[in-house]
Structures are given as structure tokens and as C-alpha cells.
Amino acid sequence: MLPEQKSPQIWATVLFFVLILYSAVQAVEPVVHIIPVSGTVEPGMAAYLKRVVSSFEKDDNAVLVFAMDTFGGRVDAAFDIVETICSVPKERTIAYVEKRAISAGALIALSAGTLVMKENTLIGDCAPIIQTSEGIQEVGEKHQTVLRAQFRTLAKRNNYSEVLAESMVSKSMEVYKITRGEHSEYMDKTTWQELSEKEKKKITRKTTVVSEGELLTMDDKEAVELGFSRQSVESLDQALEVLGYGAAEKIEVSENWSETFVRWIQPLLPILMIIGIGAVYTEVKAPGFGIPGIIGIICLGLVFFNQYLVGLADYTEILVFVIGFLLLGMEMFVLPGFGIAGVTAIIVLAVGLVLSFQNFVLPDPSLPWQGELMIKNLGLVLGSALGALLVSMSAVRFALPRLSKVINGPYLEATLQDSRAESSEALGICAGDEGVALTTLRPSGKVSIKDRKIDAVTQGDFIDPGTSVRVARVTAGHVIVETIMEKREK
């Protein structure tokens, strides 16, 4: 075959490999997934972000952009979110501050590999606070130590100033910008005081960046100057353009129905617990099984189902709840009254509820907020139980008797207002009725009158069993009898 005849085959082969290479290049183009992080930082948000991030964990082409708009929230939920974001290579994570990233939101934003802020947005102010009887107060040093350590870790990971990152947490820090020739660095007050006079003389300029008693809170321009934000931008599209993803495919990520349900129902959990516990208590006190029991199971089931979806309740809590409901069923259907099984069921259900509100069994001493969270959860459950008890007792005492005025139907109008225990109608006998002594009356005993066994007393001699007796009178609820023979002799 001549060389001219081979050229079409060669060109076809070359074209084939070019198409393969082009397809390979097209396949590795990144895809930007925009994940909103808005609202209160709580376990529902942590579960939502964990689900989303884990779905892209093995996708090397996925770039995750966290659109931040939050004032913060729970520290434990923020730590879970930070752990989730850090599980992805930092080259694939971007925090875009759309409106604000305050408190726990700043911690989340700094966990991403790159930070970009929209114009006129804020980040910072991460001092942990608690609600006390005297109002909102900043927590102690043991909480701040753990948070500062976390901020230092993230600063090292993403090449931020560790001192500036820590100053978002503690008001006691004072931070300076130190310039030696062309080199600048950030230094806290303690480190500055430890410098020798010789070292201080080398410093050409010293400016205060964070004053003592303040927390570092930055707008978008300050964040760029202090080395946190890559650039101030007008929109997310511009941010992606700056980072080299302007032509990449963009996909908006949203919550699924269960995550939306979880975050919607989270503020209602105390009310559901009050209704659920109150309904269960009412069911235990009432015979059989009816509407209160169904309502109680539904409400407590919603509480537990919510906590299961956010990842706080697991198989341990499921087992505890099953044991509690089994004991409750035993109390209602097997054992009479309200005893050990009922009390144990309530305790077991309370323990299950407390555990379902936290991701630990016993608090870790190295994480001081866990102990406070456990106390808070215990107070929430016990407070709900007390509220439920008061509500159920009030309903039985005041609401149910007035129900007849609201609902139409045939009702009995007679009352026992004028009845008296000593009346002959109440006892069913009257003076003159005759009977037989069933036991020895010394002076009290049992007599049979009108085929009824009645407690009676005698004011005369003792009466032996089998003696014929007659009712002398009925007074103060007592039946006074005498022998028929004695009456005839008199």
C-alpha cells in the first residue's frame, strides 16, 4: 500500500485521540456547589451540612462554597460543622460572607480554605456567652481557652494570623501591628512586653489593631487588610471570577424536606415535651388507653424523631425509649394503680429525652460547655415534666368540668350537694328493719339486713352470731341495733 493511502487512517487515529483528550479535560472541570449557611447555628444546621459535604467528599471536581449569613449559635454545633468542613481538602472549600458571619459563624467561615467577603459585610466577635438571671454574660476562661485553641488551629491551617484569630474570642487581648523595616507582623501585649529593649529598638512602627476590652470584628475591607479575606467583591459571581471559577458550572444546594422540618420544629420541642409528658401522665392516671395516650406518643415521638434526624439520638436512645414505653404499657395494662413500673417508666423516658438532646452520654471535662449543656437539657426535660403535670392537673380540675357547657349532648343534671352519709336513703335501710347478726358485736360487728352485709354497733350487751336483731336507729352513718328478744321483754 502506498504512503498516500495510509494518511487518512493516521489522521483518523489522531482525531480519535484528540477527542478522547478533550473529553478527559472536559471531565475534570470543577463544579461549584453553593451551600447556604444561614440562620442560627444549631444541631439541625450541623446535620444538614454534614449530609451535603459528605455527598461531595470523594468528588475531586466539587468546589464547595459556603454562603454565610448567621449571627452564630451553639458552640457544640459549630465545632461539628468545623470538623465537617475540615474533612474536605481546603483547596476545595470557600467561605463567602454574603451578609455576616458573627460569633460561631466566624468560626465556621475561617474553617474554609479561602475566605471572600461581599462589600459592607462583617465577620468576628466570637466571645462565648450564656444567658443568666442577670442577663447575657461572657463565659469564663476555661471556655475561651478551648475556643482560642480552635481558632489557632484554623489560623495555622489557612495561614491567618494566630494572634488576630484569638482576639476574636478574648477581650483581655491587646494586639499590635509591628513593623521591622519592610516586614510586618501582629503581636499581642504579653509578647510585646517580653521583648528586650534591643529588639524593641529594631521596630520602626507600632500600631494598635485591637484594644484591650474589645473583640476583633472586621468589615470586608479590614478583613482584606488583616490577611483574612482574599478580596472584597460585589457579588458571588465576582468572587468566583476572582478565584478562577467564573466559567465553572454552578449548582445551588438546598435542604431536603426532613432537614427543613427539623429546623422548623426545633423551637417547638419544649412545647411538644410539655404536651407529650402531660398526655402520658393523664393516660397513666386514667383507665384503659385512649386519646391522651395517642397524643403523648405522637408528641414525644416527634421530639425523638427530630433529634434522631439531626444525629443527636441514636440506637442507645431508641433502646431507652422502647424500654420506657414498655414499662409504661405494663403499668397501664398489667399492673393495677400507679407504682414502681410507672415511676421507672417516667425516669427512663426522662433519661432518654436528655440523651436525645446531646451527642454525648457524660460530659467531657476538656469541653466545658458539655457539662452546662447537660444541665440545661436536664432542666429543660424536668421543667417540661413539671409544666406538663401542672397543665394536666389544671385541665382535669377546671377544663373538663366546663366541657359540658361547650359540647351539646344529654347530661345528668343531678348533684350530691344535699346528700348526707347518715341518711337512710344513702344506707338503704331504716329503723325497724330486722336481720341477723353475722359476727359477734362487741359492740361493733357485721349484721345481715335485707340480704346485705352491714357494719353495725350495739349499745347494749354483746350480741352473739345468729341472734335476731332489729335496727333501732341510724345516726351519723352508724347502724345501731338491738336484739329482738330484749325489745320484747322491755
Side-chain angles (χ1 to χ4, degrees):
M1 184 179 294
L2 296 174
E4 290 79 2
Q5 294 176 315
K6 294 182 179 179
S7 58
Q9 297 177 354
I10 295 174
W11 285 112
T13 304
V14 171
L15 180 61
F16 175 74
F17 281 107
V18 168
L19 290 174
I20 292 178
L21 290 173
Y22 178 77
S23 300
V25 171
Q26 289 291 103
V28 297
E29 283 189 359
V31 178
V32 176
H33 300 272
I34 303 168
I35 307 168
V37 182
S38 60
T40 303
V41 178
E42 37 81 29
M45 177 187 286
Y48 151 66
L49 291 176
K50 184 175 182 180
R51 191 267 303 175
V52 172
V53 172
S54 62
S55 65
F56 300 117
E57 194 171 356
K58 297 181 180 179
D59 185 358
D60 295 334
N61 298 330
V63 177
L64 308 182
V65 178
F66 301 93
M68 304 294 304
D69 177 18
T70 175
F71 282 104
R74 285 176 51 167
V75 177
D76 57 333
F79 269 55
D80 289 341
I81 294 172
V82 168
E83 183 179 353
T84 298
I85 295 176
C86 289
S87 66
V88 181
K90 65 179 184 178
E91 295 80 12
R92 292 169 44 205
T93 57
I94 301 168
Y96 170 66
V97 181
E98 193 168 28
K99 291 186 178 179
R100 63 192 67 85
I102 304 299
S103 192
L107 181 65
I108 296 170
L110 295 185
S111 65
T114 304
L115 174 66
V116 181
M117 297 179 65
K118 188 178 180 180
E119 293 178 354
N120 303 315
T121 57
L122 296 174
I123 186 172
D125 189 2
C126 303
I129 57 175
I130 55 174
Q131 179 70 44
T132 66
S133 58
E134 300 177 357
I136 297 177
Q137 294 185 352
E138 190 174 329
V139 299
E141 175 63 22
K142 65 178 183 178
H143 291 77
Q144 295 183 18
T145 299
V146 179
L147 277 176
R148 283 200 300 269
Q150 182 67 74
F151 271 89
R152 285 197 304 271
T153 300
L154 297 177
K156 293 175 184 177
R157 180 177 187 262
N158 298 321
N159 298 318
Y160 301 139
S161 168
E162 296 179 38
V163 176
L164 287 176
E166 288 185 71
S167 66
M168 293 186 191
V169 179
S170 300
K171 289 183 177 180
S172 59
M173 295 184 66
E174 185 167 291
V175 181
Y176 310 119
K177 183 178 181 180
I178 305 299
T179 304
R180 294 186 181 97
E182 297 181 356
H183 174 71
S184 297
E185 64 178 297
Y186 297 98
M187 183 180 298
D188 65 343
K189 184 178 181 179
T190 303
T191 306
W192 165 258
Q193 292 174 344
E194 293 175 352
L195 292 178
S196 65
E197 292 300 324
K198 183 178 180 180
E199 290 175 319
K200 289 182 179 180
K201 289 180 180 179
K202 297 179 182 179
I203 296 173
T204 57
R205 188 178 182 186
K206 171 193 168 189
T207 56
T208 302
V209 179
V210 183
S211 301
E212 187 173 355
E214 298 178 354
L215 292 171
L216 177 60
T217 303
M218 304 169 284
D219 61 21
D220 57 296
K221 294 181 176 59
E222 291 169 336
V224 173
E225 293 173 1
L226 297 177
F228 287 93
S229 176
R230 179 73 65 86
Q231 186 172 325
S232 296
V233 295
E234 296 180 355
S235 63
L236 177 57
D237 290 336
Q238 185 182 353
L240 295 175
E241 191 73 36
V242 169
L243 298 175
Y245 299 111
E249 181 184 0
K250 304 174 188 64
I251 300 176
E252 294 275 353
V253 178
S254 59
E255 297 177 342
N256 57 35
W257 71 268
S258 61
E259 290 160 348
T260 303
F261 172 77
V262 162
R263 301 193 68 182
W264 176 81
I265 205 175
Q266 193 80 23
L268 304 177
L269 293 183
I271 298 175
L272 288 174
M273 280 198 297
I274 291 176
I275 297 174
I277 296 174
V280 169
Y281 173 80
T282 303
E283 186 63 41
V284 170
K285 299 298 290 183
F289 185 78
I291 294 178
I294 296 174
I295 294 175
I297 291 175
I298 291 174
C299 290
L300 293 180
L302 282 174
V303 173
F304 181 76
F305 180 66
N306 176 84
Q307 300 306 93
Y308 179 79
L309 288 179
V310 301
L312 295 180
D314 208 337
Y315 297 108
T316 302
E317 288 78 7
I318 293 177
L319 180 61
V320 171
F321 261 76
V322 170
I323 293 174
F325 280 114
L326 287 176
L327 290 171
L328 195 61
M330 184 182 299
E331 181 68 29
M332 289 189 294
F333 300 113
V334 179
L335 302 176
F338 186 73
I340 296 177
V343 174
T344 306
I346 292 176
I347 294 175
V348 170
L349 289 175
V351 171
L353 285 172
V354 171
L355 293 179
S356 69
F357 277 88
Q358 57 199 35
N359 57 359
F360 57 88
V361 178
L362 296 176
D364 186 350
S366 63
L367 302 175
W369 57 81
Q370 287 192 354
E372 296 179 0
L373 180 60
M374 186 172 185
I375 294 175
K376 178 183 176 182
N377 293 338
L378 186 61
L380 176 64
V381 172
L382 294 180
S384 299
L386 180 60
L389 180 63
L390 295 176
V391 169
S392 59
M393 292 177 65
S394 299
V396 172
R397 175 65 178 85
F398 300 106
L400 294 182
R402 292 176 172 81
L403 194 62
S404 61
K405 299 179 180 179
V406 180
I407 301 176
N408 295 325
Y411 297 99
L412 297 175
E413 298 294 337
T415 67
L416 299 178
Q417 181 178 357
D418 298 325
S419 66
R420 289 176 174 78
E422 65 268 20
S423 66
S424 59
E425 289 83 5
L427 295 173
I429 62 173
C430 58
D433 290 341
E434 297 181 356
V436 179
L438 299 177
T439 63
T440 301
L441 277 68
R442 299 181 179 179
S444 62
K446 298 284 187 181
V447 298
S448 174
I449 298 176
K450 295 182 179 180
D451 297 327
R452 291 180 57 191
K453 186 184 293 185
I454 298 173
D455 292 321
V457 294
T458 176
Q459 292 183 338
D461 297 333
F462 293 163
I463 300 177
D464 295 326
T467 304
S468 298
V469 296
R470 180 185 293 111
V471 177
R473 61 185 182 277
V474 179
T475 178
H478 297 290
V479 177
I480 301 174
V481 299
E482 58 186 359
T483 60
I484 295 178
M485 184 179 297
E486 289 177 354
K487 185 66 180 177
R488 288 173 180 175
E489 290 176 355
K490 291 179 180 179

